[in-house]
Amino acid sequence: MNLSGKIIGLYVGKVEERWPDKAPSAIAKTYTDGPLELDENGFLRDEQADLKVHGGPEKAIHHYASDHMGFWQKEHPEQVELFVPGCFGENIATTGLTEENLCLGDILSLGTAKVQVCQGRQPCWKLTKHIGIRNFALQFQQTALTGWYYRVLENGQVKVGDTMDLLERPCPDWSIKRLIQARFNSKIDAGTAQELANLDVLSTSWRTAFEKKAQKRYAEDTGPRLKG
């Protein structure tokens, strides 16, 4: 399958105290042309505030499709100026690659590096605070337009203007959109949840979550994540 996307923005951030009586965050990121170096933990110039839930080898780089900005501008016509590439704290903004045409486990070129899709994004209260729209994290989650994370298979260097090309597709049945919808489905079929839990290319945290979802009477409490 020939599939590629063009990098239109790269973004890195520093940990900041953003909100009184709330945990710090590095969600506000700054545009750069690059070139940026990346290793197994992501871009060397990027920071994460809480390494328990952000960053690390299976959340090394967050990618968001700039193709969706028109959707968000229509959803919030009084705040169209908010919805521009980089606004959601992503590291990479592209055109041509979305949750619908990429799949779990896809391996792509990223400049001279090589990366693999390993999970979707679980938005939290920090996104709501950052955007400034009530309950935005929940709305973001419900659309399944959350973007996705990569693990880095080969270190390298990337710059704006580079093309990301699909190299391998081990899980063609699991588009990122379908994966994200499954992750947030409180009534997911136990067999489907177990199928996902068994996929080695899925991140450890999401495999654990699907393992729990496969059990009877399990109910996930999303309140602390979404409301803070």
Side-chain angles (χ1 to χ4, degrees):
M1 179 181 180
N2 294 323
L3 180 64
S4 65
K6 185 175 182 180
I7 297 174
I8 63 171
L10 296 170
Y11 305 88
V12 292
K14 299 291 185 182
V15 176
E16 300 176 287
E17 297 287 345
R18 295 283 308 279
W19 312 287
D21 302 319
K22 289 288 188 179
S25 175
I27 194 172
K29 298 192 183 297
T30 302
Y31 173 89
T32 177
D33 291 327
L36 292 177
E37 298 283 344
L38 67 153
D39 64 12
E40 65 274 13
N41 289 310
F43 293 131
L44 272 57
R45 288 172 51 190
D46 194 37
E47 293 183 359
Q48 294 82 35
D50 184 352
L51 294 176
K52 291 182 180 179
V53 293
H54 299 114
E58 293 192 320
K59 288 185 181 178
I61 299 168
H62 181 244
H63 185 164
Y64 198 81
S66 294
D67 312 65
H68 300 325
M69 292 304 162
F71 168 83
W72 290 112
Q73 290 170 356
K74 289 180 181 178
E75 287 291 299
H76 298 280
E78 295 180 356
Q79 292 126 323
V80 292
E81 73 282 354
L82 293 177
F83 300 104
V84 296
C87 67
F88 297 134
E90 65 266 35
N91 297 117
I92 301 174
T94 61
T95 55
L97 300 174
T98 70
E99 293 86 350
E100 291 189 342
N101 63 25
L102 282 177
C103 295
L104 170 66
D106 278 359
I107 296 175
L108 299 100
S109 61
L110 179 58
T112 62
K114 188 182 292 186
V115 295
Q116 183 175 40
V117 177
C118 59
Q119 71 165 74
R121 177 179 180 175
Q122 288 177 261
C124 72
W125 61 268
K126 290 182 179 181
L127 179 62
T128 297
K129 289 284 190 182
H130 177 64
I131 293 296
I133 296 175
R134 185 172 179 270
N135 294 327
F136 188 79
L138 178 60
Q139 181 188 5
F140 194 71
Q141 174 175 298
Q142 290 172 334
T143 65
L145 305 179
T146 68
W148 55 94
Y149 283 99
Y150 294 114
R151 61 170 62 92
V152 178
L153 301 182
E154 293 181 10
N155 298 355
Q157 189 180 82
V158 59
K159 63 183 184 302
V160 169
D162 284 348
T163 298
M164 296 185 69
D165 297 309
L166 177 63
L167 304 175
E168 297 180 38
R169 172 159 288 175
C171 301
D173 294 335
W174 280 103
S175 71
I176 299 174
K177 183 175 182 179
R178 185 185 176 206
L179 172 68
I180 292 168
Q181 290 172 331
R183 178 65 187 86
F184 300 134
N185 181 1
S186 61
K187 298 180 180 179
I188 188 173
D189 172 76
T192 301
Q194 192 60 58
E195 176 188 345
L196 284 160
N198 293 340
L199 292 177
D200 290 341
V201 293
L202 188 60
S203 68
T204 302
S205 63
W206 275 37
R207 290 181 69 189
T208 299
F210 281 115
E211 189 72 52
K212 292 178 181 178
K213 283 176 171 287
Q215 307 304 312
K216 292 182 179 179
R217 295 183 295 277
Y218 173 71
E220 184 176 13
D221 182 8
T222 60
R225 171 171 59 83
L226 292 172
K227 296 179 182 180

